[in-house]
């Protein structure tokens, strides 16, 4: 079982997430344990204080160290977690990061607040993580994004493991377009190839579309992608605006 322990001042934020779709099924099937832990429960004073003013002056309040350390010590009793803290300047979250995290048994995520967290908390943190170059008011939405991307990579969570293999980014490229019935809708037709029943041809068309999509939308991804000789030939033709049909009849 994979364990997530989220330290937050808003545990209710995670209720909808825990009770919806793939995540709720993974929890019910005992593949995932997800505890949203209220920092207030670990406060040391009778007012349950979790934040305090900044030493040296300055605006805003910081999350105090004691509730975070106390919660961490309690959580670590059963298994020592890999500790993340959400920060806008952290390591950028991407599919590779999600894959790395999917191999950890126990992950603790400290949800930062936008004013900040006492620096001593960093002594228990393995990595600071950002979900993008923008500022959230708190780390909760980031923790949710991270957990969603990681949970679906855990074996047994997504029913059809094949669907993970064809995910965008899983091999460094974007995905190919898909269609369902009807074959024609509002005059827009499903490409002939996909209705041909020729699986080899379909596989080539899909690869072409992956390369084309990536070249048009996220060309920088091509630099790091693992491309075969055939991929490179396709890409050359795509760059010259040549049609897929020409590639097939070459
Ligand atoms: N906290 C505030 N902004 C954030 C971001 N972009 N990613 C992660 N944590 C954050």
């Amino acid at each position: 079982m994979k364990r997530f322990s989220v330290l937050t001042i808003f545990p209710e934020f995670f209720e909808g997430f825990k009770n919806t779709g793939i995540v709720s099924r993974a929890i019910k099937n005992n593949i995932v344990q997800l505890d949203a832990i209220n920092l207030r429960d670990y406060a040391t004073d009778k007012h349950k204080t979790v934040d305090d003013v900044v030493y040296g002056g300055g605006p805003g309040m910081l999350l105090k160290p004691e509730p975070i350390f106390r919660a961490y010590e309690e959580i670590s009793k059963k298994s020592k977690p890999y500790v993340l803290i959400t920060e806008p300047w952290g390591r950028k979250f991407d599919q590779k990061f999600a894959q790395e995290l999917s191999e950890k048994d126990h992950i603790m995520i400290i949800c930062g607040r936008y004013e900040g967290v006492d620096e001593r908390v960093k002594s228990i943190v393995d990595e600071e993580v950002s979900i993008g170059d923008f500022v959230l008011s708190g780390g909760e939405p980031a923790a949710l994004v991270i957990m969603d991307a990681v949970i679906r990579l855990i074996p047994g969570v997504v029913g059809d493991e094949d669907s993970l293999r064809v995910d965008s980014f899983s091999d460094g490229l974007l995905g190919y377009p898909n269609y369902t019935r009807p074959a024609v809708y509002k005059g827009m037709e499903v490409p002939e190839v996909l209705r041909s029943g020729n699986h080899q041809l379909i596989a080539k068309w899909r690869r072409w579309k992956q390369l084309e999509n990536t070249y048009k939308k996220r060309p920088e991804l091509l630099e790091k992608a693992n491309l075969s000789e055939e991929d490179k030939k396709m890409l050359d033709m795509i760059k010259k605006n040549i049609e897929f049909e020409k590639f097939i009849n070459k």
Side-chain angles (χ1 to χ4, degrees), residues 69-88:
F69 276 84
R70 290 181 75 207
Y72 169 69
E73 281 151 19
E74 176 72 28
I75 287 165
S76 302
K77 279 184 184 158
K78 259 205 285 179
S79 66
K80 206 172 151 25
Y82 190 76
V83 181
L84 303 174
I85 187 166
T86 59
E87 295 283 14

Side-chain angles (χ1 to χ4, degrees), residues 190-246:
V190 174
E192 187 71 45
V193 199
L194 297 177
R195 293 180 280 156
S196 68
N198 181 339
H199 293 289
Q200 232 183 340
L201 188 65
I202 291 172
K204 284 196 195 304
W205 182 85
R206 286 179 165 166
R207 191 65 184 173
W208 177 280
K209 284 293 173 186
Q210 274 196 282
L211 290 161
E212 184 179 65
N213 261 342
T214 311
Y215 175 64
K216 285 188 176 156
K217 297 176 188 172
R218 296 288 304 276
E220 80 282 5
L221 294 178
L222 289 170
E223 285 156 32
K224 281 200 197 145
N226 235 336
L227 300 183
S228 68
E229 283 311 307
E230 183 171 74
D231 289 337
K232 287 177 192 161
K233 265 184 223 155
M234 285 187 177
L235 198 54
D236 271 347
M237 295 179 77
I238 290 165
K239 287 179 180 170
K240 289 177 192 148
N241 251 328
I242 298 169
E243 308 261 279
F244 173 69
E245 287 65 30
K246 283 258 169 60

Side-chain angles (χ1 to χ4, degrees), residues 85-90 112-114 129-139 142-143 146:
I85 187 166
T86 59
E87 295 283 14
W89 56 77
R113 301 307 307 162
Y114 95 105
V129 50
S130 164
I131 61 162
D133 289 341
F134 42 80
V135 180
L136 303 165
S137 53
I146 293 161

